Each structure stands twice: as structure tokens, then as C-alpha cells.
């Protein structure tokens, strides 16, 4: 069944220089395993498209049901230089939650 | 048990929740984390214009509001609000303490984070690959991230208030815990645990329900009177994250998980001046409403180098905006953007980069999927990075001129110009950085 990540997870985005970090946390820890299979670094990079030059690195914290995506060259040169209206990329969290995934069963 | 509260989380954070913590928190330590990565460069620029400036502009208001209650309750204050001028900030705190009748109050000042004179001109900025030398006189500042040690020294010397500049955010909590529990500077496991506590609380309400709400899905009660965080810390490094009874917000496993991962990159190697913290084994347990127990953080030896944040002038950004509504608004905004882009092209090489967004359509993410209906209103935004203030001003004027020359129905045109103080990072061997601690009496 197709669902949006917003239906099964919450997220928070932050910045360090030109690197965007976005966490993705399962609302129900039981969804973590299939989220790991669906929300791969490659798919996240595709989802963000031209916004992220990459690479995208994924860190896993299984017992918290959380994934942490570290996206390089992703903030237009960094908060102070970016021309974007959201130079910190704070809204990237909600953008990640728009991603569609296949929920098993 | 040691009670630590965070009274800010960023320079502009609300003051009243901090006053509540000072008055009702029964705190041992009240922290004010006020210094974002780029703030120190802006503060250095301010100090160049006025030698008495350069510390956080709200430091005085904060101290006026909490110093009396903290002194009465035995709560010690640690802050990085000294920014580019900790000594000036310390002077201000002494003045306020005397005015409040707190004679004898000891105020510690930590300096030595300003390392501009120590950097090799061949140092390379991590983000752009440029050398310091190539930036020449555009360089404003270079501040190394200091750790907890100088603040621990100030506390050991009896400081009731410690004013630092560029210390790492979680180091404020680590300093409090090292002093309170006597943890050594190489007790890596406990320093890692203390860093987790510092990281969870350093953004203030971001762990107590702030920055979390999504109505109907993730509801948070009483955001307008959100309580700032309190960490109840044990000598073994474990802690409970909570907030004052009766305040708004919520402390749950979910709010703590989001904050734990916030801006850290690799949870197995969160680098600070104090320790290489390892958060992978952390467990968060909701032991009661608004109480989350944190266990399992640890750490390894601190990195050999300190991160240095370099601030430099990097041209100007000119910005112009105008709104369109009703049917066809999207096409009119795009036409307006095309007109401005063509006009800016005539300015030639003085315009280094142009970005055109349609707010309400594609300004935060990418373009919406095909078939997305046109919104009822949109706002065109044109931003350009340019070399001079004059050209930056021209960018906004080109947008404003759409009043008479652009598509029909444009309204609410605004424009702005700002100088870009960019920040980059480089690294410095920690043995070359020598923090200085001075403690004086009010």
C-alpha cells in the first residue's frame, strides 16, 4: 500500500555549513524495519533532486526507530551564502515527509 | 542529583520561560546557549564598529531578569553570550550585579577562542576549498570552539556567572556536570553522557514540544507558554529530561529523539571539543508524563583538532518580492520573474548568481508534481548575489518597477539589501589554543 512518510514518521531538519541533516523517526517503532528498506539514501537523493548535489549518507539508530540523513552540498553554499528563502533548509523535514513509500501488508 | 535548566536555545528565544526556571526551577545551573555558527562573525563585525559591543545584545536583559533569583537560590549561570566580547559581557554582568545589590558576586570570563592571529594563511576552508590568504582582508574573524575545561576552572574559582564566547553548545552542560560531579577531563564515557544531556537541552524548547507540532497529527498543548527544559542529572551520566509543572509543551520520547539527532551527523561520532560522543546506545524511556529518562550515551577521546569558524565578507544579497492573486497568478509571477531576469542580465558580471522563486509554489522544495492545482495566490521572489551594495539595491528596484511595467495585478512589492557575512570552517591543533579564565567580584 502506498503511503506518504508523513503518515508513518516525523522529521526535523538542521544545518551545518553546506550540509543538511534530516532525521526521520517512525511514529510506531514497529514500522522501522520496512522504512529502512524503503527510505534508502539513493531514494532520498532522488526525492530531493537538484536541491541536493550529494552524496547522501544514512545513519541508523534502530532502537529509537530513527534514521538520520546527512546530505552534502545541499544548502546552496551554506546558510550565510544561500539565496534560498529558507537558507537553513529547515523545511526539508516536511519535504522528506512528502515522499511516497510502499508499506508492506 | 543536579538540576540543569536551559534558558535560551538561541539568542532571540523568549525570556519569560527562563525567568520561570530561575524563580521556580530549584536549579543548580541555568544555561543560556545563545550563539549560532554565524553569530560570532556578525558579533565580531559589530565589535569592529564599536569596541564595547560584540556580546549578545540580549545579555543585559537576560541577566537583569534572572540574576536576582539565581543568586538567591544558589543557581549558577553559564552562557556563551559573550560572543565576540566576553570581557565586555562580563563587565556588563558586574555592573548589573552591583545595581541589584549583589555585591561580591563572582563573575568568570573565558577568552582565548579568538584565534585569527594563530591561523596559517594556507589554512583551507572546508566548505569552499578557499585558503585564508585568498580571502585577504575580507576575513573578519576566526574563533575556535572551546570545550568545558575553562568554564570548569571558573566554577572552581567560585564564579556564580560564567561568560564565554565560542564554546561548543553542549559544553555548557558538560562544564556544569564536570564541576558538580568531579568528572575528569578524560572520563570519556561520562563526558559523552554529559554531551548528550547538553545536546538535548541546548536548543531550549526544541526538546519540550517546540518545533514539533503538526496540528491534528502531532498536537502540542500550550505552545505559547512552553516550558524550557530541565535535566535532572545523576553522577553516572544518566538524566531525566523534563520541564516545570504547569508550563506548556510536552516532553516525550518523540520530542527527545528529534532533538537528539538534530544537526549531529553521525550519531556514533558527534565531535565536540570535550569528547567524541557516541549516541548509538542511547535509550529514551517515557517514565512519566513530561519525563523522559536518557541512558546509554558514551564517548571516546576528544578529537585532536578544534573546529574553527571563520567569518568573511562575501558580497551582498539583493532581494525583491511582489504578490499576484487570482486565476493566472502563477503565469503572471513567472512572467514577472522572466522580465526581471532579462533586466538583471544587462548588469553583467556584477551579478554573480540569481535565484527566482514563486513563494506558495516552489520556494521551499522542488517544483510540485504535475497536475498540482494552481494556488489562489503566489509571491514572486528574486534574490541575487552581487559584488556591491549599489548593485544589490538595483535588484530590488527592478522588482519594484514591476508596479508599472510588469504583468497586471502585482501588489505588495518589497525589497531588501544585506551584506553577506559568510562563515566557513577550518581546523587547528588543540595544543595551539590557550583559553584564559579571569574571575572578578561585583
Amino acid at each position: 500500500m502506498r503511503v506518504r512518510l508523513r503518515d508513518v514518521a516525523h522529521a526535523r531538519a538542521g544545518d551545518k555549513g553546506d550540509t543538511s541533516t534530516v532525521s526521520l523517526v517512525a511514529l510506531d517503532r514497529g514500522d522501522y524495519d520496512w522504512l529502512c528498506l524503503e527510505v534508502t539514501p539513493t531514494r532520498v537523493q532522488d526525492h530531493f533532486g537538484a536541491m541536493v548535489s550529494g552524496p547522501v549518507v544514512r545513519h541508523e539508530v534502530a532502537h529509537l526507530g530513527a534514521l538520520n540523513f546527512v546530505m552534502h552540498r545541499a544548502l546552496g553554499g551554506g546558510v550565510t551564502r544561500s539565496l534560498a528563502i529558507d537558507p537553513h533548509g529547515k523545511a526539508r523535514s516536511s519535504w522528506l515527509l512528502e515522499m511516497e513509500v510502499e508499506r508492506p501488508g | 542529583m543536579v538540576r540543569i535548566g536551559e534558558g535560551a536555545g538561541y539568542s532571540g528565544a523568549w525570556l519569560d520561560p527562563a525567568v520561570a526556571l530561575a524563580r521556580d526551577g530549584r536549579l543548580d545551573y541555568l544555561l543560556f546557549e545563545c550563539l549560532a555558527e554565524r553569530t560570532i562573525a556578525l558579533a565580531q563585525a559589530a565589535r569592529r564598529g564599536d569596541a564595547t559591543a560584540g556580546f549578545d545584545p540580549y545579555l543585559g536583559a537576560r541577566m537583569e531578569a534572572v540574576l536576582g533569583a539565581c543568586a538567591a537560590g544558589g543557581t549558577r549561570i553559564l552562557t556563551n553570550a559573550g560572543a565576540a566580547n566576553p570581557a565586555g559581557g562580563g563587565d556588563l554582568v558586574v555592573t548589573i550585579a552591583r545595581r541589584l545589590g549583589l555585591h561580591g558576586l563572582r563573575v568568570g570570563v573565558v577568552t582565548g577562542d579568538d584565534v585569527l592571529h594563530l591561523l596559517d594563511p594556507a589554512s583551507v576552508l572546508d566548505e569552499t576549498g578557499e585558503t585564508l590568504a585568498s580571502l585577504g582582508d575580507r576575513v573578519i574573524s576566526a574563533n575556535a570552539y572551546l570545550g568545558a575545561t575553562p568554564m570548569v576552572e571558573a566554577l572552581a574559582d567560585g564564579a556564580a556567572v560564567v561568560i564565554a564566547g565560542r564554546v561548543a553548545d553542549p559544553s555548557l552542560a558538560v562544564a556544569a556536570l564536570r564541576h558538580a560531579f568531579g568528572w575528569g577531563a578524560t572520563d570519556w564515557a561520562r563526558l559523552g553522557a554529559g554531551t548528550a544531556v547538553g545536546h538535548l537541552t541546548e536548543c531550549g524548547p526544541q526538546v519540550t514540544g517546540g518545533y514539533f507540532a503538526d496540528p491534528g497529527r502531532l498536537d502540542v498543548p500550550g505552545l505559547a507558554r512552553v516550558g524550557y527544559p530541565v535535566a535532572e542529572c545523576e553522577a553516572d551520566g544518566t538524566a531525566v529530561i523534563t520541564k516545570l509543572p504547569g508550563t506548556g509543551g510536552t516532553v516525550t520520547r518523540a520530542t527527545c529523539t528529534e532533538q537528539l539527532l538534530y544537526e549531529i551527523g553521525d550519531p556514533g561520532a558527534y565531535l565536540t571539543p570535550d569528547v567524541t560522543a557516541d549516541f548509538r546506545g542511547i535509550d529514551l524511556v517515557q517514565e512519566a508524563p513530561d519525563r523522559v529518562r536518557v541512558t546509554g550515551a558514551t564517548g571516546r577521546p576528544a578529537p585532536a583538532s578544534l573546529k574553527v569558524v571563520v567569518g568573511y565578507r562575501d558580497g551582498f544579497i539583493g532581494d525583491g518580492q511582489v504578490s499576484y492573486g487570482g486565476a493566472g497568478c502563477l503565469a503572471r509571477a513567472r512572467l514577472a520573474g522572466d522580465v526581471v531576469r532579462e533586466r538583471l542580465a544587462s548588469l553583467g558580471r556584477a551579478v554573480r548568481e540569481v535565484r527566482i522563486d514563486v513563494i506558495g509554489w516552489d520556494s521551499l522544495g522542488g517544483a510540485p508534481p504535475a497536475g498540482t492545482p494552481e494556488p489562489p495566490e503566489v509571491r514572486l521572489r528574486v534574490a541575487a548575489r552581487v559584488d556591491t551594495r549599489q548593485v544589490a539595491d538595483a535588484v530590488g528596484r527592478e522588482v519594484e518597477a514591476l508596479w508599472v511595467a510588469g504583468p497586471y495585478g502585482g501588489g505588495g512589492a518589497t525589497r531588501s539589501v544585506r551584506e553577506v557575512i559568510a562563515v566557513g570552517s577550518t581546523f587547528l591543533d588543540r595544543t595551539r589554543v590557550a583559553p584564559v579564565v579571569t574571575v572578578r567580584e561585583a
Side-chain angles (χ1 to χ4, degrees), chain B residues 151-171:
Chain B
M151 293 184 282
V152 176
E153 288 174 23
L155 291 170
D157 197 356
V161 182
V162 181
I163 311 285
R166 185 64 282 176
V167 295
D169 301 356
S171 298

Side-chain angles (χ1 to χ4, degrees), chain B residues 134-212:
Chain B
S134 73
L135 296 173
D137 63 2
R138 289 159 56 203
V139 174
I140 296 169
S141 64
N143 291 78
Y145 276 83
L146 303 181
T149 298
M151 293 184 282
V152 176
E153 288 174 23
L155 291 170
D157 197 356
V161 182
V162 181
I163 311 285
R166 185 64 282 176
V167 295
D169 301 356
S171 298
L172 297 171
V174 171
L177 292 167
R178 273 183 58 186
H179 178 73
F181 293 127
W183 296 348
T186 57
D187 189 349
W188 307 118
R190 286 191 182 83
L191 296 180
T195 297
V197 171
H199 182 70
L200 280 165
T201 55
E202 74 189 28
C203 294
Q206 270 199 184
V207 75
T208 53
Y211 213 61
F212 185 78

